[in-house]
């Protein structure tokens, strides 16, 4: 299969590229390098510098002929999306419409979207399955839902096939150490813990210790980025062979609290990792845990590397390499 990854030089995209290449697929990476790293583009992948808002450039690259497109070129900071919605509507929604329409024009009819559990909003029940109502609590989550809705329309009207993969909390790095550069300006829990372990940051603030959870801190479902990557390969195969669309959760189905994550990181890194109790962060639900039964049923997918030790040790390995440079 010949697969074009939009946003393929980013943290998740480079892992997705490796997963396709490990299966012998031909990979092209289209990225504007605003947050992706040229040095993380795997050897053997074709690289096209370009922005998804540049319709002419998107068309030029698509005209080379591709079997599937994977779309990972989005802004993803939920907090920022509430302050700068125009940044998110322009890139995430307008940019996606350019990709969808150009893919259709160039007969690239299999489309895999990097979507998010942020489409669900505050959980009404747990674990969250795909029948859970969609009521995003931030604009970022809304942009993902809007793209999914457009894919449904383009499927009905033009016969495009799509898979929307709703990630829970992506974490970890390639366990074989093939990923050399770190994600730029990370805002998520595990990278922040790692920055403390390396001494880049003095301490981590634990956002809320009075939630209705066993240790009072928020519980999340962390899923290894290589497990996520594997699901893209399976989804591409599924939609092209079964000729059926797919919207699936990707999570480990296990909940880990913020304090548990910090304690496990202290154990694995042997570093102190100072943590201070801090106020709640607006918009954080107490618990988010996936049901991935549908991904298992349709794709035969399960999270195999998403245990806490692998998540932390694979991340620590890359941080140590980068900090000792
Ligand atoms: N947290 C802290 N301190 C920090 C950073 C995070 O206590 O310095 C806590 C948060 O409050 C939250 C947990 O760690 O309880 C995880 O926070 P992240 O920011 O790493 O991730 P989120 O759960 O907020 O969101 C992530 C992605 C979203 C995606 C969502 C889906 O960033 O894009 O998972 O579950 F939609």
């Amino acid at each position: 299969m010949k697969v074009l990854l939009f946003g393929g030089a980013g943290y998740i995209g480079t892992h997705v590229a490796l997963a396709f290449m490990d299966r012998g697929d031909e990979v092209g990476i289209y990225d504007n390098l605003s947050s992706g790293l040229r040095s993380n583009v795997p050897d053997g992948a074709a690289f096209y510098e370009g922005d998804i808002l540049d319709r002419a450039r998107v068309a030029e690259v698509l005209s080379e002929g591709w079997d599937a497109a994977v779309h990972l070129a989005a802004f993803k900071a939920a907090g920022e999306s509430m302050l700068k919605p125009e940044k998110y509507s322009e890139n995430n929604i307008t940019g996606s419409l350019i990709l969808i329409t150009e893919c259709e024009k160039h007969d690239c009819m299999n489309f895999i979207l990097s979507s998010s559990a942020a489409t669900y909003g505050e959980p009404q029940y747990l674990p969250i399955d795909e029948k859970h109502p969609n009521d995003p609590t931030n604009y970022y989550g809304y942009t993902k839902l809007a793209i999914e809705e457009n894919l449904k329309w383009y499927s009905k009207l033009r016969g495009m096939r799509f898979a929307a993969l709703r990630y829970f909390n992506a974490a970890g790095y390639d366990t074989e150490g093939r990923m050399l550069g770190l994600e730029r300006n990370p805002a998520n829990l595990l990278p922040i813990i790692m920055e403390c372990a390396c001494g880049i940051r003095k301490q981590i603030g634990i956002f809320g210790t009075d939630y209705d959870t066993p240790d009072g801190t928020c519980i999340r479902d962390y899923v290894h980025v290589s497990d996520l990557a594997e699901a893209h390969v399976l989804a591409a195969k599924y939609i092209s062979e079964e000729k059926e669309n797919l919207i699936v959760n990707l999570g480990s189905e296990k909940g880990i609290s913020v304090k548990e994550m910090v304690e496990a990181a202290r154990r694995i890194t042997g570093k102190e990792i100072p943590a201070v109790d801090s106020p709640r962060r607006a918009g954080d639900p107490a618990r988010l845990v996936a049901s991935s039964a549908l991904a298992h049923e349709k794709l035969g997918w399960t999270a195999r590397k998403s245990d806490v030790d692998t998540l932390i040790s694979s991340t620590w390995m890359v941080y140590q390499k980068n900090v000792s440079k």
Side-chain angles (χ1 to χ4, degrees), residues 62-316:
L62 279 168
S63 67
E64 291 188 12
W66 302 86
D67 302 307
V70 182
H71 174 22
L72 308 115
F75 293 126
K76 63 175 175 106
E80 183 192 49
S81 74
M82 300 296 275
L83 303 171
K84 298 179 184 168
E86 56 289 338
K87 175 175 170 181
Y88 282 70
S89 47
E90 178 78 347
N91 185 75
N92 291 15
I93 300 179
T94 308
S96 295
L97 287 171
I98 290 174
L99 297 188
I100 295 167
T101 50
E102 291 302 324
C103 280
E104 195 259 326
K105 246 187 240 169
H106 292 87
D107 201 30
C108 175
M109 298 299 271
N110 297 300
F111 196 100
I112 293 112
L113 173 70
S114 158
S115 190
S116 170
T119 52
Y120 295 116
E122 187 69 33
Q124 295 180 11
Y125 59 84
L126 291 169
I128 300 178
D129 58 20
E130 294 79 359
K131 295 195 182 88
H132 188 286
N134 291 120
D135 187 13
T137 50
N138 52 62
Y139 189 74
Y140 159 73
Y142 165 72
T143 65
K144 292 289 176 178
L145 200 55
I147 307 162
E148 288 186 6
E149 291 302 319
N150 272 288
L151 284 169
K152 285 183 193 166
W153 277 108
Y154 274 85
S155 177
K156 263 187 239 173
L157 302 175
R158 298 286 165 86
M160 272 194 102
R161 284 178 296 273
F162 74 90
L165 306 180
R166 291 180 174 165
Y167 311 159
F168 279 65
N169 289 54
Y173 275 85
D174 179 54
T175 50
E176 290 170 38
R178 290 176 290 178
M179 210 47 67
L180 303 174
L182 290 168
E183 187 184 8
R184 282 196 230 152
N185 306 318
N188 295 111
L189 178 65
L190 196 48
I192 290 173
I193 292 176
M194 291 294 128
E195 291 186 354
C196 296
C198 293
I200 299 170
R201 265 178 210 257
K202 277 207 197 97
Q203 59 189 33
I204 175 159
I206 298 191
F207 298 152
T209 51
D210 57 352
Y211 284 98
D212 183 18
T213 58
D215 65 17
T217 67
C218 286
I219 290 176
R220 292 287 179 276
D221 180 327
Y222 296 90
V223 54
H224 195 283
V225 65
S226 300
D227 284 333
L228 290 180
E230 186 64 24
H232 293 70
V233 178
L234 298 169
K237 195 165 174 277
Y238 180 89
I239 59 172
S240 61
E241 286 176 5
E242 303 292 325
K243 316 255 180 265
E244 200 181 271
N245 299 328
L246 196 64
I247 298 180
V248 284
N249 288 343
L250 296 176
S252 67
E253 306 189 308
K254 284 186 225 96
I256 300 166
S257 76
V258 176
K259 273 193 177 160
E260 283 171 336
M261 199 58 117
V262 173
E263 274 154 26
R266 286 178 179 143
R267 171 171 58 77
I268 290 165
T269 63
K271 303 289 180 184
E272 189 190 347
I273 313 180
V276 284
D277 293 356
S278 306
R280 288 183 177 199
R281 187 174 68 177
D284 271 348
R287 294 170 193 253
L288 279 180
V289 181
S291 161
S292 287
L294 191 65
H296 186 62
E297 181 197 320
K298 298 277 184 184
L299 302 176
W301 179 86
T302 36
R304 293 181 293 121
K305 297 184 175 174
S306 299
D307 56 284
V308 182
D309 284 33
T310 307
L311 291 172
I312 296 173
S313 59
S314 62
T315 310
W316 182 226

